[in-house]
Amino acid sequence: MKDAAFGALLAIQFLTRLPVPVACPWTPGTRRWAARAYPLVGALLGALAAGVGTLLQPVLPSPLLALLLLSLWVALSGGLHLDGLMDLADALGSNAPRERRWAIMKDAQVGSFAVLALVFLLAWKAALLWALLEAGASPWWLVPVATLARLGGLGLLVGVPAARAEGLAHAWQRSLGARDLALAALLPLAGLAFVPGAAWLVAGLGGFIIIYGLAVRRAFGGINGDIVGAAIEGGELCLLLIAWGAFAMA
């Protein structure tokens, strides 16, 4: 159980900016358990933001509450996945050959496509959060959204090979298999049994991850950490859109 405990702490250290003053060993066992804990870390992030949102919902108008929730969401994760989205946007926006795309993705400089992708993603997330709140949704909808998005990212990590035998994605993949994805999905999917419209969330995210995985494999030959991070951001946006649609049609 030591690997499981260190793995959970490793997942929190890697995916959040929450303080974890423990030196976690980087071993195949801890990496495996960390990956299994990805969705639970998403649930933790969503719960922290939703808890603050619930306290302030009676006193803040929906636009300000939506912006606050999004700000907390980004701050708690440290913008980790936004960085991947921006790198991917610059690489794809270049319309360059595959090897050049990889070079652009690794470049520390931020291009215009990265800025546009960041601005539009945050704007759409803020607008959808606002629309959800206006439709009567609770801030606690952030919990299934953040949880499932990280489960989707793990699915991509397990299902699509790393493009190169280097980097974090390759290191994680060496320790992972379908069994790890199934174990990671067990608690989140059980919890979703109590969420209205959960089937739409799962189906929509599954479709997004499949299409996204096929697209990046064609464009890049496989995945890396940036591509997985961008999948989590895209998954969150997709889930917010589905959640809003469910409330709008109710």
Side-chain angles (χ1 to χ4, degrees):
M1 293 304 294
K2 186 180 290 187
D3 278 352
F6 277 126
L9 292 174
L10 184 62
I12 294 172
Q13 285 180 333
F14 183 66
L15 294 178
T16 80
R17 287 298 179 264
L18 298 173
V20 180
V22 177
C24 297
W26 178 257
T27 67
T30 59
R31 288 198 299 271
R32 186 177 302 115
W33 279 102
R36 292 171 181 176
Y38 271 18
L40 298 181
V41 174
L44 174 62
L45 292 173
L48 289 172
V52 174
T54 301
L55 290 174
L56 296 177
Q57 192 169 20
V59 296
L60 286 180
S62 296
L64 291 182
L65 184 59
L67 186 57
L68 174 65
L69 289 173
L70 182 57
S71 300
L72 280 173
W73 207 348
V74 173
L76 289 169
S77 66
L80 173 67
H81 309 308
L82 290 172
D83 180 69
L85 173 80
M86 294 170 72
D87 288 340
L88 178 62
D90 270 342
L92 289 175
S94 69
N95 203 28
R98 181 179 291 178
E99 287 305 313
R100 178 59 183 155
R101 289 189 207 127
W102 279 110
I104 292 171
M105 195 180 296
K106 290 183 177 181
D107 193 336
Q109 293 185 347
V110 174
S112 57
F113 290 107
V115 174
L116 287 170
L118 178 66
V119 168
F120 278 109
L121 178 87
L122 294 178
W124 273 102
K125 278 189 172 182
L128 287 168
L129 284 169
W130 182 1
L132 274 167
L133 293 169
E134 285 288 301
S138 164
W140 289 96
W141 266 95
L142 285 177
V143 175
V145 167
T147 301
L148 284 176
R150 280 148 189 81
L151 182 60
L154 179 59
L156 187 73
L157 193 59
V158 170
V160 180
R164 300 183 177 186
E166 60 183 24
L168 278 174
H170 176 69
W172 287 106
Q173 280 188 337
R174 286 184 301 171
S175 307
L176 297 178
R179 180 171 179 267
D180 301 296
L181 178 61
L183 288 172
L186 191 60
L187 281 177
L189 294 182
L192 281 172
F194 303 96
V195 177
W200 288 107
L201 294 177
V202 174
L205 179 69
F208 167 77
I209 291 297
I210 290 171
I211 294 170
Y212 179 87
L214 291 172
V216 295
R217 189 160 189 179
R218 180 177 180 180
F220 295 96
I223 61 170
N224 69 352
D226 284 334
I227 290 172
V228 175
I232 292 174
E233 288 294 337
E236 287 179 344
L237 184 61
C238 175
L239 289 164
L240 284 173
L241 184 60
I242 294 169
W244 171 77
F247 269 89
M249 291 186 295

